[in-house]
Amino acid sequence: NMASDGDGDEDFVTYGTALEPLEEDEPLKKPVPLHEQTVKDEKGRYLRFHGAFTGGFSAGYFNTVGTKEGWSPSTFVSSRQQKAEKHHARPEDFMDEEDFSEHGIAPQQITTSQEFSSGRRDEVQEKARAVSAQAALIPGDSLLEGLIAPARSSIGVELLKRMGWKEGQGVGPRVKRRARRQQPDGGGRVYGCALPHAGSEDSEDDGDEEFAPENLTFAPKDVTPVDFNPKQGVQGLGYRGLDPGMALLGRGAPDHIDLFNPGGVAGQVDVYHRDSMSRYDRVLEGEEPGDGLYGWTAPQQYTQTRGKSRDSSYIGKILEGFTLAQKPAEEKTIFPPPTLPSNYRPVHWFRPAVDVSHLSEVSPALAEALRTSRGHMIKEEPQQGGRHQLDSDQRRTLLGEDVLRGPSSVMELLRPEDRERLLNLRNASSSPSIKTSAPACHAASPASGSTASSGLQQEALAVWRGIQTSSQTFRPFEKNPSKQVRYELYLDRLKQGDKDALEQSLDPGLTEWERSRERDEFVRASILYRPSSSSLSSRFTRAKHQDDEDCVEVNRDQEGDVDDKQSAVKVKMFGKLTRETFEWHPDKLLCKRFNVPNPYPGSGVVGLPKVKRDKFSVFNFLTTTESRGRSQLTELTQCSSSSAPPKPAEPGKRSRWDVSDQKEGQQENDPLSELLSAARHQAEAKLGKSSAPTLSAERLDAQQGSCSGESHHHTSDVSTRMRGSIQKNDGDGEEEEEEEEESRPPMDLFKAIFSSDDNSFSSSEVESNDEEAMKEEELPNLFNITSSVSSSTLTPSQPTGKNRQMSILRGAISTCSPNEEEALRKRSKEKKHKNKKQHKHNKEKKVKKEKRMNDFCSSVLR
Amino acid sequence: MAFPQPRPQAPQLPQYLLKTIDCKQGAVRAVRFNSDGNYVLSCGSDKSLKLWSVSRGTLLKTYSGHGYEVLDADSSYDNSSICSCSSDKTVILWDVATGQVTRKLRGHAGKVNCVQFNEEATVMLSGSIDGTVRCWDTRSRKFEPIQVVDDARDSVSSLKVAQHELLTGSVDGRVRRYDLRMGQLHVDFISSPITCVCFSQDGQCTLSSSLDSTVRLLDKSTGEMLGEYTGHKMKGYKLDCCLSSKDTHVLCCSEDGHVYCWDLVEGSLSLKLPVGKAVVQSLSFHPTETRLLTAMEGRVQIWGAEPEETDEEAMAT
């Protein structure tokens, strides 16, 4: 820093960093000891100065040749099997990294050696070398060295020297000073690089002029090499900003300055053009012709003359070796696209196939042209022009491939009656040119018969006559083979030009009505599927694999009958009856995370194994017998009853209806289930007579329970709401419910045994609920989809047939199961109250049910 | 002369109220001990999850980030992370120390009822009202579950993980046990909607409470019923049940404001713990000691075998 402040310090100049001003009260800093003063190199390693600032180099750790970690000797292991390689230590092994760098003692990169270094030749050293050469064993040793040594001067320099050229002189013929002075130059022309035309040369010449003798020539002046400055900035080459100093020179400054003589290095014209402020107009003034007809709005002649003048001005700047063209380059003629006729429609019409072989009257040349242009299948000898001239059909025949089966038209996919209708439409609309289109409309009627459709027949005949493509036609009646055969017969006849092809090909065994109908169909089909389109359609082929969209994936192992389980739960026989085991595939990663081996290594299945089932099977829609008789309470209430938002329907809920055979077989085997089924048969036999009311009751039940069942989401929503509404009148409702729950099994048992009572009960209930059922039928269909029979929590005991079966079952089983006896005892105790309660119970139930229905309706509508 | 044989100590029951914590987070949906029983997690209906110290009853941290009420939580074995699930259909993995959300996992179609770590906290399993159990990988950064277990036909109300087994209870009335080692699914039909399932500590039995106001103890391997516990009231709420730390007793919440405690073997009611007037929403038993957590409305109560007085006196002196 240069510090110069105040008048007193004016005389002093300070170099270097000023020391921090010493404060009196601050304790003196301890000087950092030498070994703690550290300098780091660019890689962050410590560097230590050794003597001079850059001279010495560090020698390891505190000048020991070690490191901070100490010296680690290299290990040497050699055995008989593995001989250690001999390790030659090179000097580089002991060098530092810096030594290999550009300025180190052993640079690794290619650098200029002393011989070639641009520095001044070290004469002293050379001399010393010469002396040492003399003292060497072979006296002329340096001679040898000189032979290998690179030539210091090029041959050109040598030659020049022979010619008397000396270093420092210019190259070229000797010149008279005067002659050069007399070189032509304009008034203000200046040569040289620098603008401030220091006429040193001139002045020198001026000086020489006086005493130079006439016949004396001089060597030309040496040209000082051009000093190249590295280019800086992003401007273009040779750019130099406007120099304000030039502006002061005014008009006197040359228009443009040539760096070199125009005769010297040629071509360097505009590149080094240096601009100056003086060349710009800074004043607005009318310098154009006074008529104001200038600029780009000027009339044509002005601009044209302007252009010419520009050309002439350009002549001076033309590069050497180039001349201005005498005549202007020929202008490219651009042809405008043809104007389309106003009625042009951009639709490509495929020309109808022309079978050349049958056009006997046309000239062979035309036939040839048609053949090549159309490329339509002609079963003649293959063309001579090579395989590129063959069309696909010819190639096919060469390869011996089969003919692609005929067109798969959209029409084929339609149902016959739809096709019929479409045909009618098409005939009505698209063939107005055919005179007989009007009768064609009512040709469908059997009464009109063949005469009415004779026009169409004519057309068909015209279309099909003489056409040979027998195998490629569309088979519209594929579903009905005999009809198809007749149709083909008809087509064959058509091709032969048979006039009454239709009548002959029809089956006389058919009824008149059938025949007339078939006649009509044949004619239509033959016109619609005319062979011209077959060439196109043969390029398409049918899908090999049909999309099996008709299948859905369902679980392979289906759950067993829920009723059996239900009844098993009722009698508390958990275990075999309620337990089911499936194969289940955990994810590979899950096993890994759980630290267990994958039980099914190599299986790609995750979850339960699935099989494909028919999508539209009834069983997929009939869900769950399981929900019968028990609540499907989805949403378990939290403390504050919160209503869950309705969930989106889950697609592809699986059917659990179809029970796998294996499962059933399994259950047949065990004795308990046999007992169960036996009991059920028994029960069914007993209930046979009361089947009608039972059925209706069941139906009712189904409707009642329709809120639960298949669609769980709805269930959850509705049932919570229902519970919410019920909970409001908990006071009276709940007790009853509990009572019901407890009293149900004995009642069922009772009823099951004395089925006469059951009859009256269920029928009365049915009656009472009939109108409700009617009401319910008006509910949204959504809830009626399900056929599953279930009752919600709110309808805990609907005495359905199934329930009855189960209760009978229980009766049957209870004799053998000891833990049932207690329950039976309890029941028999309660049975006493039964009859008394029955009537009241019934009434309550009715009332309750109505209330429930109302609640339900309101909750649904809400 | 021999010393009398030390009489086997009668199993103690958590009958003394030690502490009441007012959680101040709305209704407490679930309360859980951490893995060693020193801390308590309470899931609030005000979208927050709180961590409490059991010994002092003080709030240690509040974890907020759920969009709706928190329904269940579980802590990892090393107490380094917590997972929680909520009505906002998400499962969140929390960093315990910082309280930051480590991962927020969406994928369930409905509210998520229950969540559980596996033993090594490498997987989180969450059961939802959409009937699926989703297994989330805590090790990867993926946001998709490893596996979706969608066998339940109705809401999955409860799930537990023990070693290589996953136990789920569903509203379709079935207890499903997935054995990862054997690659088997065992379905036990209970008929009534299941509210809570548990493994016994010895891993031989499963406990399931259902909405027919019954708690059933089933043999794990055969599915046979070993015990049935009734007397409480569970008809509409999803309430918890559990086994005591030494498998001596079965405990279950009740809608009548009590916690019922039965002797496991005899099935007799050994304690009817009056918690309050409202429904006992949740409970959790200490993993080793005789200590019980109950949640009712906005409060969490800690119950112990001995009255707290001694402790408090010790604190006072």
Side-chain angles (χ1 to χ4, degrees):
Chain A
N1 272 4
M2 198 160 27
S4 60
D5 50 345
D7 296 326
D9 292 339
E10 215 168 339
D11 301 339
F12 303 105
V13 176
T14 320
Y15 292 101
T17 314
L19 288 171
E20 279 178 33
L22 263 175
E23 305 240 345
E24 256 82 44
D25 51 344
E26 208 175 33
L28 277 172
K29 272 183 196 162
K30 254 189 185 170
V32 183
L34 195 69
H35 67 274
E36 277 174 23
Q37 290 178 4
T38 54
V39 177
K40 289 177 185 172
D41 67 354
E42 67 275 347
K43 283 179 183 168
R45 293 173 303 195
Y46 287 107
L47 274 189
R48 216 155 277 115
F49 291 125
H50 286 265
F53 279 102
T54 52
F57 50 87
S58 137
Y61 189 64
F62 289 105
N63 285 339
T64 70
V65 192
T67 57
K68 195 175 182 182
E69 289 77 33
W71 181 266
S72 60
S74 62
T75 52
F76 178 81
V77 179
S78 181
S79 65
R80 222 181 302 171
Q81 273 76 31
Q82 277 196 305
K83 290 279 185 198
E85 280 178 43
K86 219 176 216 173
H87 182 252
H88 292 285
R90 296 170 304 138
E92 283 84 357
D93 293 341
F94 305 100
M95 285 185 187
D96 288 331
E97 223 171 285
E98 295 93 333
D99 298 333
F100 300 120
S101 69
E102 194 182 356
H103 302 293
I105 55 171
Q108 296 275 299
Q109 283 128 339
I110 296 169
T111 50
T112 323
S113 69
Q114 176 114 43
E115 312 276 287
F116 295 98
S117 63
S118 57
R120 207 170 280 254
R121 224 173 274 157
D122 193 352
E123 306 216 345
V124 178
Q125 206 170 17
E126 254 172 287
K127 245 177 211 160
R129 204 179 294 158
V131 167
S132 70
Q134 291 300 320
L137 283 175
I138 308 166
D141 196 18
S142 64
L143 197 90
L144 197 66
E145 209 173 295
L147 275 179
I148 336 167
R152 251 166 235 148
S153 48
S154 66
I155 189 71
V157 175
E158 291 290 314
L159 282 172
L160 278 173
K161 277 184 177 171
R162 291 280 171 88
M163 289 165 72
W165 174 77
K166 286 177 189 138
E167 274 183 304
Q169 281 182 350
V171 183
R174 297 178 78 83
V175 287
K176 284 183 177 167
R177 289 281 153 117
R178 180 182 293 272
R180 224 187 61 185
R181 274 270 311 167
Q182 281 168 355
Q183 268 180 339
D185 53 30
R189 284 221 174 229
V190 181
Y191 312 102
C193 306
L195 186 92
H197 38 171
S200 62
E201 204 175 310
D202 286 341
S203 59
E204 196 183 307
D205 287 347
D206 287 342
D208 284 344
E209 205 176 353
E210 271 105 63
F211 61 87
E214 281 296 308
N215 54 354
L216 203 62
T217 55
F218 294 91
K221 286 216 130 191
D222 193 14
V223 182
T224 50
V226 183
D227 193 22
F228 294 106
N229 290 320
K231 185 181 147 4
Q232 286 162 338
V234 291
Q235 292 88 1
L237 270 179
Y239 171 83
R240 230 169 278 176
L242 289 179
D243 187 3
M246 298 281 291
L248 293 177
L249 295 174
R251 288 278 162 204
D255 265 5
H256 73 265
I257 303 117
D258 279 353
L259 185 62
F260 302 99
N261 249 338
V265 187
Q268 320 275 329
V269 186
D270 265 17
V271 186
Y272 298 108
H273 177 200
R274 206 190 293 164
D275 218 343
S276 76
M277 290 289 279
S278 59
R279 299 190 62 235
Y280 289 87
D281 292 334
R282 278 165 294 170
V283 186
L284 276 175
E285 51 186 353
E287 53 180 349
E288 298 288 337
D291 54 0
L293 295 174
Y294 59 92
W296 60 275
T297 53
Q300 277 292 311
Q301 65 265 23
Y302 271 89
T303 47
Q304 269 168 6
T305 52
R306 193 77 51 80
K308 256 177 201 152
S309 68
R310 195 184 59 214
D311 275 355
S312 58
S313 73
Y314 189 74
I315 285 174
K317 303 175 188 171
I318 282 177
L319 296 180
E320 201 184 344
F322 291 87
T323 51
L324 214 61
Q326 293 298 320
K327 48 185 179 184
E330 245 178 71
E331 222 172 85
K332 255 186 200 166
T333 47
I334 297 164
F335 300 99
T339 48
L340 294 172
S342 59
N343 58 348
Y344 173 74
R345 286 200 304 140
V347 178
H348 182 71
W349 282 98
F350 291 97
R351 269 178 290 164
V354 182
D355 199 336
V356 182
S357 62
H358 286 269
L359 299 171
S360 50
E361 65 269 21
V362 298
S363 68
L366 177 59
E368 185 68 21
L370 277 170
R371 196 183 292 145
T372 49
S373 69
R374 181 71 196 101
H376 191 65
M377 63 299 284
I378 300 150
K379 292 175 180 75
E380 288 182 350
E381 79 290 338
Q383 306 233 336
Q384 308 303 316
R387 63 190 168 93
H388 295 295
Q389 254 103 53
L390 298 178
D391 66 35
S392 60
D393 289 287
Q394 286 161 334
R395 279 197 295 273
R396 185 191 65 215
T397 49
L398 281 178
L399 290 169
E401 282 179 353
D402 287 338
V403 179
L404 289 174
R405 295 305 292 177
S408 51
S409 154
V410 185
M411 299 296 280
E412 196 185 4
L413 304 171
L414 295 175
R415 284 176 299 162
E417 53 264 36
D418 288 342
R419 205 184 305 154
E420 195 92 342
R421 217 182 52 231
L422 272 178
L423 285 185
N424 277 335
L425 272 175
R426 181 192 156 111
N427 282 343
S429 65
S430 73
S431 54
S433 59
I434 302 167
K435 293 178 195 76
T436 51
S437 63
C441 281
H442 60 90
S445 64
S448 58
S450 59
T451 51
S453 60
S454 61
L456 284 178
Q457 282 186 46
Q458 292 296 323
E459 193 194 348
L461 193 62
V463 165
W464 281 89
R465 186 207 294 273
I467 287 197
Q468 295 287 301
T469 56
S470 58
S471 59
Q472 295 198 337
T473 48
F474 171 53
R475 314 162 124 259
F477 308 109
E478 216 159 16
K479 300 256 166 71
N480 189 347
S482 62
K483 197 173 181 182
Q484 178 66 32
V485 166
R486 287 198 296 276
Y487 177 65
E488 275 166 13
L489 188 68
Y490 165 63
L491 285 187
D492 281 345
R493 294 222 164 108
L494 271 186
K495 283 171 198 161
Q496 287 156 19
D498 204 337
K499 287 257 196 265
D500 45 350
L502 194 57
E503 293 304 318
Q504 283 175 10
S505 52
L506 289 180
D507 185 10
L510 295 172
T511 63
E512 181 61 33
W513 185 81
E514 279 173 328
R515 251 186 294 160
S516 66
R517 189 180 167 78
E518 208 167 274
R519 200 179 292 136
D520 206 43
E521 279 177 5
F522 280 7
V523 171
R524 293 262 166 82
S526 62
I527 289 171
L528 186 64
Y529 308 115
R530 62 181 75 196
S532 66
S533 61
S534 66
S535 64
L536 183 68
S537 54
S538 66
R539 280 154 215 269
F540 296 92
T541 184
R542 277 167 186 277
K544 286 256 166 52
H545 308 283
Q546 225 159 2
D547 299 336
D548 31 28
E549 285 173 351
D550 294 346
C551 291
V552 284
E553 287 202 327
V554 292
N555 283 348
R556 191 188 64 194
D557 306 316
Q558 299 289 346
E559 207 178 325
D561 189 11
V562 185
D563 283 335
D564 287 344
K565 288 194 214 160
Q566 193 84 46
S567 45
V569 168
K570 281 270 161 60
V571 296
K572 299 187 179 174
M573 294 196 63
F574 290 94
K576 262 186 190 169
L577 288 175
T578 58
R579 161 67 61 101
E580 267 178 311
T581 300
F582 303 100
E583 191 181 311
W584 180 71
H585 295 245
D587 195 277
K588 210 170 62 196
L589 184 60
L590 195 67
C591 289
K592 201 183 273 179
R593 291 278 181 266
F594 270 80
N595 263 340
V596 293
N598 193 347
Y600 304 100
S603 111
V605 187
V606 171
L608 295 175
K610 308 260 165 117
V611 287
K612 289 213 161 168
R613 284 274 163 81
D614 193 10
K615 190 187 200 171
F616 300 113
S617 163
V618 191
F619 299 118
N620 292 328
F621 295 109
L622 289 179
T623 338
T624 68
T625 48
E626 46 123 8
S627 51
R628 182 194 299 270
R630 209 31 252 179
S631 65
Q632 275 287 328
L633 190 64
T634 304
E635 172 138 339
L636 302 179
T637 9
Q638 307 286 341
C639 252
S640 61
S641 65
S642 59
S643 63
K647 283 194 300 172
E650 274 181 35
K653 271 282 177 185
R654 298 170 299 270
S655 153
R656 276 136 332 113
W657 183 278
D658 355 18
V659 182
S660 63
D661 294 344
Q662 164 219 349
K663 266 283 172 312
E664 269 183 354
Q666 215 175 40
Q667 289 197 341
E668 289 295 318
N669 287 341
D670 71 57
L672 200 60
S673 62
E674 261 176 34
L675 183 70
L676 281 171
S677 56
R680 189 192 293 176
H681 284 310
Q682 212 179 349
E684 270 165 9
K686 239 179 213 174
L687 290 166
K689 52 189 165 217
S690 65
S691 64
T694 310
L695 265 178
S696 56
E698 243 172 351
R699 181 177 58 89
L700 189 76
D701 204 359
Q703 281 162 353
Q704 190 90 83
S706 61
C707 57
S708 59
E710 184 185 353
S711 48
H712 296 309
H713 28 282
H714 291 298
T715 316
S716 63
D717 204 7
V718 170
S719 63
T720 18
R721 279 172 187 165
M722 282 164 95
R723 195 178 321 112
S725 55
I726 282 296
Q727 271 171 352
K728 272 183 263 168
N729 36 33
D730 248 356
D732 51 349
E734 212 164 294
E735 270 178 26
E736 283 169 17
E737 225 167 62
E738 269 177 76
E739 208 171 60
E740 247 172 44
E741 189 97 54
E742 276 179 22
S743 60
R744 171 168 46 104
M747 188 175 80
D748 285 348
L749 191 70
F750 181 82
K751 271 183 289 168
I753 294 165
F754 308 103
S755 56
S756 60
D757 184 48
D758 164 63
N759 247 345
S760 64
F761 176 80
S762 59
S763 60
S764 71
E765 194 180 0
V766 165
E767 274 167 20
S768 72
N769 284 328
D770 254 351
E771 68 248 48
E772 287 172 19
M774 299 290 273
K775 239 190 279 170
E776 273 180 26
E777 233 125 56
E778 292 166 17
L779 282 173
N781 234 354
L782 185 63
F783 297 101
N784 283 335
I785 300 167
T786 168
S787 65
S788 70
V789 180
S790 70
S791 59
S792 71
T793 9
L794 305 162
T795 56
S797 72
Q798 288 294 328
T800 65
K802 285 285 182 186
N803 266 348
R804 246 167 271 130
Q805 287 167 20
M806 284 186 305
S807 48
I808 282 184
L809 252 174
R810 186 179 303 127
I813 285 170
S814 63
T815 51
C816 58
S817 88
N819 55 342
E820 216 7 52
E821 280 181 11
E822 189 186 277
L824 208 64
R825 237 183 293 129
K826 207 169 81 184
R827 270 175 219 151
S828 61
K829 204 164 56 185
E830 282 168 356
K831 210 194 270 183
K832 284 177 222 160
H833 305 284
K834 187 78 231 175
N835 288 333
K836 193 170 62 186
K837 217 186 270 176
Q838 182 81 48
H839 185 69
K840 184 183 147 216
H841 187 78
N842 234 342
K843 230 199 270 178
E844 275 172 7
K845 216 171 191 176
K846 226 191 283 180
V847 172
K848 257 185 74 166
K849 192 170 278 179
E850 250 164 38
K851 198 170 67 186
R852 245 177 255 137
M853 277 320 301
N854 288 340
D855 283 341
F856 173 66
C857 289
S858 63
S859 67
V860 164
L861 292 173
R862 219 187 308 152
Chain B
M1 177 176 145
F3 286 108
Q5 201 72 20
R7 212 174 28 181
Q9 201 182 5
Q12 291 176 310
L13 288 172
Q15 47 194 330
Y16 299 104
L17 179 64
L18 305 183
K19 226 168 243 121
T20 301
I21 304 171
D22 190 8
C23 293
K24 297 200 177 80
Q25 50 177 167
V28 177
R29 291 283 173 242
V31 63
R32 301 279 179 256
F33 271 116
N34 77 329
S35 54
D36 59 7
N38 291 329
Y39 301 99
V40 170
L41 289 165
S42 66
C43 308
S45 61
D46 73 339
K47 312 172 191 174
S48 71
L49 173 71
K50 289 187 175 180
L51 178 68
W52 307 83
S53 157
V54 172
S55 53
R56 283 172 290 167
T58 51
L59 175 66
L60 300 176
K61 196 129 200 134
T62 304
Y63 302 91
S64 45
H66 272 300
Y68 205 44
E69 53 183 18
V70 187
L71 295 182
D72 197 6
D74 190 28
S75 79
S76 67
Y77 70 99
D78 56 354
N79 291 332
S80 68
S81 47
I82 297 172
C83 59
S84 65
C85 60
S86 160
S87 290
D88 64 359
K89 310 178 191 176
T90 63
V91 175
I92 291 185
L93 180 66
W94 304 89
D95 185 66
V96 171
T98 62
Q100 296 296 308
V101 176
T102 309
R103 211 148 297 158
K104 192 167 192 174
L105 301 158
R106 298 177 178 83
H108 278 298
K111 64 179 196 175
V112 190
N113 285 324
C114 45
V115 72
Q116 198 92 44
F117 275 118
N118 73 336
E119 229 165 350
E120 294 172 342
T122 50
V123 180
M124 288 186 283
L125 298 110
S126 60
S128 159
I129 198 168
D130 64 4
T132 63
V133 172
R134 277 165 206 261
C135 313
W136 310 94
D137 194 352
T138 59
R139 293 281 175 85
S140 80
R141 304 187 68 81
K142 268 193 253 170
F143 287 95
E144 283 82 46
I146 303 174
Q147 185 171 359
V148 180
V149 183
D150 58 352
D151 302 308
R153 277 73 176 259
D154 213 326
S155 166
V156 176
S157 55
S158 170
L159 69 86
K160 290 287 182 323
V161 184
Q163 288 169 347
H164 56 273
E165 287 177 319
L166 165 66
L167 189 69
T168 66
S170 157
V171 178
D172 60 8
R174 285 168 179 80
V175 176
R176 291 182 173 80
R177 183 166 61 86
Y178 299 88
D179 193 329
L180 268 80
R181 192 187 284 273
M182 302 301 294
Q184 280 181 327
L185 161 63
H186 306 281
V187 184
D188 283 322
F189 185 77
I190 303 288
S191 171
S192 177
I194 311 293
T195 61
C196 185
V197 288
C198 282
F199 280 113
S200 63
Q201 310 291 332
D202 63 356
Q204 297 301 310
C205 312
T206 63
L207 189 73
S208 59
S209 60
S210 53
L211 283 191
D212 53 357
S213 297
T214 312
V215 181
R216 290 182 180 86
L217 186 72
L218 301 182
D219 187 88
K220 194 179 83 176
S221 52
T222 64
E224 283 163 17
M225 189 162 76
L226 303 174
E228 194 181 30
Y229 311 95
T230 51
H232 64 298
K233 185 184 162 204
M234 190 190 289
K235 290 197 168 294
Y237 295 100
K238 176 193 170 297
L239 304 182
D240 290 346
C241 67
C242 67
L243 284 155
S244 67
S245 56
K246 296 197 173 59
D247 278 348
T248 53
H249 287 85
V250 172
L251 296 101
C252 186
C253 300
S254 172
E255 291 172 19
D256 59 6
H258 290 77
V259 168
Y260 283 69
C261 185
W262 297 273
D263 190 281
L264 180 119
V265 181
E266 292 168 16
S268 57
L269 186 67
S270 46
L271 179 67
K272 192 176 169 186
L273 193 67
V275 178
K277 288 202 176 90
V279 177
V280 185
Q281 182 71 70
S282 175
L283 86 175
S284 174
F285 209 91
H286 195 283
T288 50
E289 295 166 30
T290 311
R291 202 156 284 206
L292 179 71
L293 285 176
T294 59
M296 174 183 283
E297 292 174 333
R299 298 187 307 278
V300 168
Q301 278 144 316
I302 305 168
W303 306 79
E306 283 113 22
E308 183 75 339
E309 275 99 82
T310 53
D311 252 336
E312 273 172 21
E313 277 168 15
M315 294 277 279
T317 56

